[in-house]
Amino acid sequence: MRILIVEDDKKIASFLEKGLQEAGFSVDVSYNGVDGLSLALTEPYAAAVIDIMLPGLDGLSLIEKLRLRNIDIPVLILSARQSVDDRIEGLQRGGDDYMVKPFSFNELLARIQALLRRGQKHADASVLNVGELQLNPLSRQVTRQGEKLELPAKEYALLELLMRNSGRVISKTSILERIYEYNFDPQTNVVDVLVCRLRNSVDKEYESKLIHTVRGMGYVLRAE
Amino acid sequence: MRILIVEDDKKIASFLEKGLQEAGFSVDVSYNGVDGLSLALTEPYAAAVIDIMLPGLDGLSLIEKLRLRNIDIPVLILSARQSVDDRIEGLQRGGDDYMVKPFSFNELLARIQALLRRGQKHADASVLNVGELQLNPLSRQVTRQGEKLELPAKEYALLELLMRNSGRVISKTSILERIYEYNFDPQTNVVDVLVCRLRNSVDKEYESKLIHTVRGMGYVLRAE
DNA sequence: CTTCAACAATCAGAATTCGCATACATCGTA
DNA sequence: TACGATGTATGCGAATTCTGATTGTTGAAG
């Protein structure tokens, strides 16, 4: 279960990171609001711990931007500002809990777990991840390294097929059957062409190549 | 929206009761754990504020009994015990938030609203928000940037469908099935035309476009 | 090491599909 | 009747996909 920390104080950030990792979470840290936002928009976090006073984009604006884009993960606000009005503002602008520094790590952990417990009801849709590639079947959105990719229908269908079977070799005839309606094997190279186009969309601009051909067999999607 | 208060200190109880009533909630009060439990088991509350130190049945045990019977309403614990360990225990035994007395009523209200906000996300009758669009299913009113939009029946139905599934791609056939009664796929372009009309009503006059087409798949409503 | 055949990748133009806008027809209602 | 809402028909333009030809790669045989 992944948690995002957005905190510019590096000591606090690493303290939180270690503690949450020990508690069994997978943790990402960002030291400013802008990076935090792009992470939160692209990675599937279960929750976030966000400081208010951040360089660039402040924490509350960050949360508002998340909510605007329907990122509904629970957010625990962490702040040095302890006045009641600050706390109220934090909660009203989209935070789910508010803790004042200095804080007890164990209480923070308990509060995060309380938030997660509540959220677990609505288990979110399974997002497919392969390496730096991410595909959300519901929104039909594909990103690589956080950048959005625009894929035409057939390319998208093929990519989804490959991602659902990542690591396994998919034969051309299998692709033909599943993406096209062909149940016979006509003399066509549509699949070759499709794979080529998908490569241009997905692999071309990037260093590591994810789509591999297995000569005589078919294709695999594999992160290496 | 109904809220339950379980608090043996009558001054605090009535203070809370008044404040929450002023905030628009319908409030029930019980002065001991046993009554509180039976109320919570029989009435449909949206949330509860529960003191820990109670005559008869203590607050934490009360919460556990509720959870045991699948009463999953959000619970805010109110307590004089302020040690970190007390707070952690309260959260771990099923509380969703923990406030120490003396407390600020406005902060308590904000915290309750944060809890309700989270729980209500998927409630049916609640107001739908996507970006600067707002739709109230009960009054059938739609606004964008606060301005009221007049939508014909079909356009309204489509918008509600899209808003209830914002971020998800809805196929044309799905629209055909859910807005029209067609279960087959006749040769018609009603959906295209309807979407076009809805765009004219909803997106045309505004800078940011909310209705996006996903070629070959359908349409999404997304704030961007 | 070279050659060759099978296979794969790529390219460009053609063909097709798709979505959009517009105009028109129909229907019910004030 | 006049009007608004809604379904149908049509054509345009662009995005997408296919076809067929060409080029590139691989690995085994000679």
Side-chain angles (χ1 to χ4, degrees):
Chain A
M1 194 164 289
R2 297 180 65 181
I3 292 192
L4 174 66
I5 297 172
V6 189
E7 164 66 78
D8 63 328
D9 183 322
K10 304 213 172 178
K11 271 167 78 177
I12 295 181
S14 89
F15 169 60
L16 280 175
E17 184 180 11
K18 275 186 204 156
L20 289 172
Q21 279 172 351
E22 278 172 22
F25 296 104
S26 157
V27 182
D28 289 354
V29 180
S30 120
Y31 301 109
N32 66 73
V34 177
D35 291 352
L37 177 61
S38 71
L39 272 177
L41 288 177
T42 53
E43 303 296 317
Y45 295 105
V49 179
I50 299 180
D51 188 19
I52 289 192
M53 304 272 271
L54 290 169
L57 180 69
D58 73 283
L60 294 183
S61 307
L62 198 172
I63 295 171
E64 285 175 341
K65 286 187 192 300
L66 289 184
R67 300 309 189 209
L68 207 62
R69 306 218 187 166
N70 283 326
I71 309 283
D72 282 326
I73 58 172
V75 171
L76 189 150
I77 295 171
L78 202 52
S79 168
R81 313 190 59 168
Q82 59 180 309
S83 81
V84 167
D85 287 345
D86 286 323
R87 291 187 244 182
I88 291 175
E89 187 186 3
L91 294 167
Q92 285 183 342
R93 288 175 68 182
D96 294 287
D97 203 343
Y98 189 110
M99 289 187 77
V100 174
K101 301 180 198 176
F103 58 94
S104 146
F105 174 76
N106 284 323
E107 181 179 352
L108 181 138
L109 182 59
R111 285 184 178 273
I112 286 180
Q113 282 166 339
L115 289 173
L116 290 176
R117 187 204 311 146
R118 182 140 297 276
Q120 262 177 354
K121 278 282 170 74
H122 321 286
D124 49 345
S126 54
V127 175
L128 304 175
N129 282 283
V130 175
E132 57 202 7
L133 250 185
Q134 182 173 85
L135 181 149
N136 183 332
L138 289 182
S139 66
R140 226 204 83 127
Q141 295 216 90
V142 183
T143 59
R144 178 157 184 180
Q145 286 181 2
E147 298 167 54
K148 203 161 144 191
L149 302 182
E150 297 288 349
L151 297 185
K154 283 259 148 60
E155 291 181 38
Y156 174 86
L158 174 59
L159 182 61
E160 183 172 340
L161 175 63
L162 290 174
M163 288 187 78
R164 287 193 189 281
N165 295 281
S166 73
R168 274 182 289 243
V169 178
I170 307 294
S171 72
K172 288 189 188 182
T173 43
S174 172
I175 293 174
L176 214 45
E177 283 174 12
R178 301 217 225 163
I179 294 196
Y180 303 81
E181 316 256 290
Y182 303 172
N183 283 336
F184 54 103
D185 190 340
Q187 296 187 324
T188 171
N189 67 341
V190 268
V191 175
D192 302 61
V193 177
L194 180 59
V195 170
C196 176
R197 294 199 317 256
L198 183 60
R199 277 194 167 117
N200 284 334
S201 304
V202 164
D203 270 344
K204 196 170 193 177
E205 318 283 347
Y206 299 85
E207 182 57 30
S208 73
K209 306 306 179 190
L210 300 178
I211 302 171
H212 307 271
T213 97
V214 181
R215 203 181 167 77
M217 297 274 107
Y219 302 90
V220 213
L221 190 71
R222 190 174 341 125
E224 272 175 324
Chain B
M1 193 162 294
R2 298 179 65 181
I3 291 191
L4 173 65
I5 297 172
V6 189
E7 164 68 77
D8 62 329
D9 182 323
K10 304 213 170 179
K11 271 170 75 178
I12 295 181
S14 90
F15 169 60
L16 279 176
E17 184 180 10
K18 276 186 203 158
L20 289 172
Q21 279 173 350
E22 277 173 24
F25 295 104
S26 156
V27 183
D28 289 354
V29 181
S30 117
Y31 302 109
N32 64 74
V34 178
D35 291 353
L37 178 61
S38 71
L39 270 177
L41 288 177
T42 53
E43 303 297 316
Y45 295 105
V49 179
I50 300 180
D51 188 18
I52 288 191
M53 304 271 270
L54 291 169
L57 180 69
D58 74 282
L60 295 184
S61 306
L62 197 170
I63 295 171
E64 284 174 344
K65 287 187 192 300
L66 288 183
R67 300 309 189 208
L68 212 61
R69 307 219 189 164
N70 284 325
I71 308 285
D72 281 326
I73 58 172
V75 171
L76 189 150
I77 295 172
L78 202 52
S79 167
R81 313 190 59 167
Q82 60 179 309
S83 82
V84 167
D85 286 344
D86 286 324
R87 290 188 245 181
I88 292 175
E89 187 187 1
L91 294 166
Q92 285 181 343
R93 288 174 68 181
D96 293 286
D97 202 343
Y98 189 111
M99 288 187 77
V100 174
K101 301 182 199 174
F103 59 93
S104 145
F105 174 75
N106 284 324
E107 181 179 353
L108 181 138
L109 181 59
R111 285 184 178 274
I112 287 180
Q113 281 167 338
L115 289 173
L116 291 176
R117 186 204 311 146
R118 178 142 300 276
Q120 255 193 349
K121 259 289 137 81
H122 302 283
D124 239 25
S126 68
V127 174
L128 304 172
N129 281 284
V130 175
E132 56 201 10
L133 249 186
Q134 186 172 75
L135 180 149
N136 184 333
L138 291 180
S139 62
R140 293 175 69 92
Q141 284 215 352
V142 182
T143 59
R144 178 158 184 178
Q145 287 180 0
E147 299 167 53
K148 197 164 154 189
L149 303 181
E150 295 291 347
L151 297 185
K154 290 278 182 217
E155 291 182 39
Y156 173 86
L158 175 59
L159 183 61
E160 182 173 340
L161 175 63
L162 290 175
M163 288 188 77
R164 286 194 189 281
N165 295 281
S166 74
R168 266 173 283 198
V169 177
I170 307 294
S171 72
K172 286 189 188 183
T173 42
S174 172
I175 294 173
L176 215 45
E177 283 174 11
R178 293 159 85 168
I179 294 197
Y180 303 82
E181 315 258 290
Y182 302 172
N183 284 335
F184 53 103
D185 191 341
Q187 296 185 322
T188 171
N189 67 341
V190 266
V191 175
D192 302 61
V193 177
L194 182 59
V195 169
C196 178
R197 287 174 178 149
L198 182 60
R199 277 197 167 114
N200 285 335
S201 305
V202 164
D203 270 344
K204 195 170 193 177
E205 318 284 346
Y206 299 86
E207 181 58 29
S208 73
K209 307 305 179 191
L210 301 178
I211 303 172
H212 306 270
T213 96
V214 181
R215 192 168 225 273
M217 292 295 305
Y219 301 91
V220 214
L221 191 71
R222 184 170 27 224
E224 265 175 327

